[in-house]
Amino acid sequence: MLERILLIVEDTPGLPAAAAWTLQLARALSARVFAVCVIPERTGGRSRTSTNVEERAWSLLYEVEDDAFAMNVKVSLLLEQGDPLRRLCEICTSYKTGLLVAGVGSQVPLADLVRHSPEPVVFVNSPKED
Amino acid sequence: MLKTVTELLPRQAVILELESRDKKEVIRELAAPLVQTGLVTNEEEFLTAILRRENLESTGVGLGVAIPHARTDSVTTTLLAFGRSGPGVDFSSLDGKLSHLIFLIAAPEAAKREYISTLAKLSSLMRRDEVRIGLNKAKNVDDVYAVLEQNDHS
């Protein structure tokens, strides 16, 4: 049984659909969602821009958390820095997640994710606008 | 305009040495001064909302920090409390560490935007070494405010 699902949280138009799909699946399976946002490694010191990027990342994570709470789904939030592909694969392994979910417009190329992920990857398409 | 952290934090809601060691008791201890402000209309409902989230989420955000939080209509405005624990409290952080710096956040149901923004700002602030070190070293409430004001640029 799938007990842990990793959701990639990024500031993309695909996030709402990916998050909704993940939370519905998690609710159906009583699984825990690991909502993970990886900020690419910054060069140089902390700046106003990097603080804003970090705050935006936390906002996205807490939005997911709030939706999860409303659906009675267990969720853990992670904000990481580094190479997104590498960090995501490491988190899959260290938290023993069984499925990785990404939305449209992910900063990590689909082909790379599928090739390197230690677990199955689901890409969730956003509904087409009329 | 989003309020600063110190604007949301009543002075009486800063506890430099938490007495409790248990997560639920720490939440009660942090909630008590907020109740005294008169901005919490129903203490039991308020605590239930915070504890219900704790059952679903690990509000330990790592690095020795925990941010228990909830949206509930038992508060009339967004509020913060801050407490420090020398021995640390188990908030089930993913990094396995005990939490020494604990912020409690409560906001009315309708104030979702301010609630999320405050959580995000505080989480971001607390990842900064200088903020955690400053709060750990603070000798009094003024020191706590100074550290937060110095680093909160909203």
Side-chain angles (χ1 to χ4, degrees):
Chain A
M1 180 67 88
L2 190 58
E3 293 178 348
R4 297 175 171 204
I5 304 169
L6 191 157
L7 168 68
I8 302 176
V9 174
E10 298 170 295
D11 198 357
T12 61
L15 176 61
W21 188 88
T22 304
L23 294 178
Q24 282 167 18
L25 180 67
R27 182 168 63 177
L29 299 175
S30 299
R32 174 177 285 274
V33 173
F34 285 75
V36 181
C37 183
V38 182
I39 299 174
E41 199 87 70
R42 61 172 183 265
T43 53
R46 175 175 286 276
S47 64
R48 177 67 66 88
T49 308
S50 67
T51 301
N52 289 345
V53 168
E54 207 169 286
E55 276 188 35
R56 176 67 184 145
W58 278 115
S59 289
L60 295 170
L61 289 166
Y62 280 116
E63 288 274 358
V64 171
E65 187 205 71
D66 208 50
D67 291 344
F69 180 69
M71 293 171 69
N72 224 25
V73 171
K74 290 185 176 180
V75 65
S76 297
L77 308 183
L78 277 170
L79 179 66
E80 299 281 328
Q81 281 191 329
D83 173 64
L85 177 61
R86 183 181 300 168
R87 285 302 297 130
L88 287 167
C89 293
E90 287 169 355
I91 291 164
C92 285
T93 304
S94 54
Y95 290 103
K96 297 182 174 65
T97 55
L99 184 70
L100 194 155
V101 183
V104 172
S106 172
Q107 64 183 330
V108 183
L110 171 60
D112 290 348
L113 205 52
V114 171
R115 190 178 306 123
H116 295 286
S117 169
E119 59 199 38
V121 177
V122 171
F123 261 77
V124 179
N125 249 327
S126 298
K128 287 180 183 168
E129 290 180 15
D130 292 329
Chain B
M1 185 82 171
L2 191 64
K3 287 181 181 168
T4 62
V5 169
T6 49
E7 284 173 330
L8 299 170
L9 178 66
R11 289 185 71 85
Q12 67 265 42
V14 175
I15 303 173
L16 292 174
E17 195 56 63
L18 288 162
E19 289 177 8
S20 315
R21 301 285 177 266
D22 168 75
K23 178 169 78 170
K24 287 182 182 173
E25 290 307 311
V26 163
I27 288 171
R28 280 188 183 276
E29 196 175 339
L30 286 169
L34 296 180
V35 173
Q36 287 170 8
T37 64
L39 298 168
V40 177
T41 54
N42 186 324
E43 183 177 4
E44 278 313 306
E45 216 175 280
F46 173 71
L47 288 168
T48 302
I50 299 271
L51 293 172
R52 193 175 154 235
R53 275 209 185 241
E54 285 298 322
N55 289 333
L56 281 178
E57 300 151 12
S58 53
T59 57
V61 295
L63 304 170
V65 178
I67 310 179
H69 54 276
R71 267 193 300 143
T72 165
D73 281 334
S74 58
V75 296
T76 56
T77 185
T78 302
L79 283 172
L80 289 181
F82 168 69
R84 205 169 57 180
S85 168
V89 182
D90 186 3
F91 272 84
S92 308
S93 287
L94 287 176
D95 64 5
K97 292 179 180 168
L98 296 177
S99 298
H100 300 274
L101 302 172
I102 300 146
F103 281 92
L104 180 73
I105 302 182
E109 285 286 356
K112 182 177 175 181
R113 190 171 159 272
E114 184 175 54
Y115 168 72
I116 296 278
S117 299
T118 304
L119 276 167
K121 180 161 63 173
L122 207 48
S123 300
S124 178
L125 263 179
M126 296 310 294
R127 280 170 67 91
R128 297 166 65 171
D129 294 342
E130 64 268 32
V131 178
R132 295 194 310 279
I133 291 168
L135 292 176
N136 274 316
K137 283 184 174 174
K139 290 186 168 59
N140 52 46
V141 178
D142 287 338
D143 289 350
V144 169
Y145 270 67
V147 171
L148 294 173
E149 280 167 0
Q150 205 173 346
N151 291 281
D152 181 0
H153 302 296
S154 62

